[in-house]
Amino acid sequence: MQNRAKSKAAEHFAKAKGDASAIGTNELKAEIEKRSVEHVFPFEVFHPSAKDFMTSQHKHLDIPRSFVGSCMLAAYSSSIGAAYVASSGTGTSPLSLWVCMTGMSSSGKTLALDQSFAPIQEIQNEFDREWENLHGQSSSDQTEDRMKTILFRDVVVATLARTVLPENPKGVTKMADEILEFINGLNQYSQKEGTDEQFWLSGWGGFPYSGIRSGRNKFSIPKVFANV
């Protein structure tokens, strides 16, 4: 029994790798109390490099942990896209993620979003430059007409389903500065009710989506991956 207790103690202390050794006892106790009361976002579950980046945002820019953590999870999700799924005993699930941050003006929402998505935005900027250069040439010089897209802000669902997603099967992410921009943009070309909500729910669940239009124009997406 005593050996088992020693084994448990050794296992427990082995987890302390010295990262918090310079933190005062009172400060450490206060942090533990804060986590238990406020249910703060757990930076410690991220890769050390990401954790340091997130901690710096929270500490030096005074951005709430929830904003930093939510934006980082969204950036991870958008980077992975449809390349991987999570599996369990009941099946598989896509790693899609919709994020909406609420808070006072200038509380750090936009700053957290911009910093977390900066590497992805740079890739999209390069795609945009390639597209502009491609369409600035004569049609005979165009070797590829694929519209590479990771991030976008405004597109009607019909174009998204028929053009953007089939050319970007890994998935895309819609960026909206305000939640009403997303809501008010639904069914904008429908006189009454449309099916935009159903399309986005398919994107959330990673379900297939297909449609047939006039002129025998048919499109099919095996798995919709569309973050918001």
Side-chain angles (χ1 to χ4, degrees):
M1 189 71 177
Q2 187 176 5
N3 290 336
R4 182 180 301 176
K6 288 182 178 179
S7 176
K8 287 289 185 181
E11 180 182 346
H12 173 76
F13 287 114
K15 295 179 180 178
K17 301 184 184 301
D19 294 341
S21 59
I23 301 176
T25 302
N26 291 335
E27 186 179 354
L28 194 59
K29 287 181 178 178
E31 175 66 17
I32 294 174
E33 178 67 18
K34 181 178 181 181
R35 293 188 186 189
S36 63
V37 174
E38 298 183 7
H39 304 290
V40 298
F41 198 99
F43 286 179
E44 65 272 13
V45 303
F46 285 81
H47 185 276
S49 298
K51 181 177 65 175
D52 292 344
F53 169 69
M54 297 163 68
T55 302
S56 178
Q57 284 185 295
H58 172 61
K59 183 176 181 179
H60 299 295
L61 300 178
D62 198 27
I63 304 176
R65 292 191 190 203
S66 57
F67 292 170
V68 176
S70 298
C71 289
M72 283 296 290
L73 283 177
Y76 271 110
S77 173
S78 297
S79 300
I80 296 169
Y84 289 93
V85 295
S87 60
S88 64
T90 58
T92 60
S93 175
L95 301 179
S96 52
L97 189 66
W98 293 5
V99 172
C100 178
M101 294 178 289
T102 60
M104 295 177 61
S105 178
S106 301
S107 57
K109 301 185 297 294
T110 302
L111 183 58
L113 187 67
D114 289 345
Q115 292 202 352
S116 297
F117 271 85
I120 304 176
Q121 183 64 61
E122 182 54 40
I123 294 174
Q124 182 59 54
N125 292 342
E126 180 61 29
F127 287 165
D128 293 342
R129 286 190 290 267
E130 289 179 4
W131 181 260
E132 292 173 1
N133 292 336
L134 180 67
H135 285 263
Q137 303 170 359
S138 62
S139 59
S140 60
D141 294 331
Q142 295 181 15
T143 58
E144 182 182 11
D145 202 30
R146 176 184 163 218
M147 187 186 297
K148 298 177 183 177
T149 303
I150 302 178
L151 304 176
F152 71 91
R153 180 156 180 174
D154 180 38
V155 65
V156 295
V157 165
T159 303
L160 181 61
R162 294 174 60 183
T163 304
V164 180
L165 279 172
E167 296 184 7
N168 299 276
K170 189 178 177 181
V172 295
T173 296
K174 175 179 175 63
M175 307 287 281
D177 192 53
E178 299 289 343
I179 184 63
L180 286 179
E181 180 180 334
F182 175 54
I183 296 174
N184 292 338
L186 297 173
N187 306 315
Q188 55 183 299
Y189 289 152
S190 301
Q191 294 181 351
K192 296 181 180 179
E193 291 187 3
T195 59
D196 284 12
E197 294 93 332
Q198 287 70 30
F199 171 83
W200 284 107
L201 289 175
S202 295
W204 165 254
F207 301 122
Y209 194 87
S210 61
I212 301 175
R213 301 294 181 261
S214 60
R216 299 168 64 89
N217 189 354
K218 181 178 181 178
F219 64 92
S220 178
I221 307 170
K223 289 184 179 180
V224 177
F225 189 97
N227 279 346
V228 182

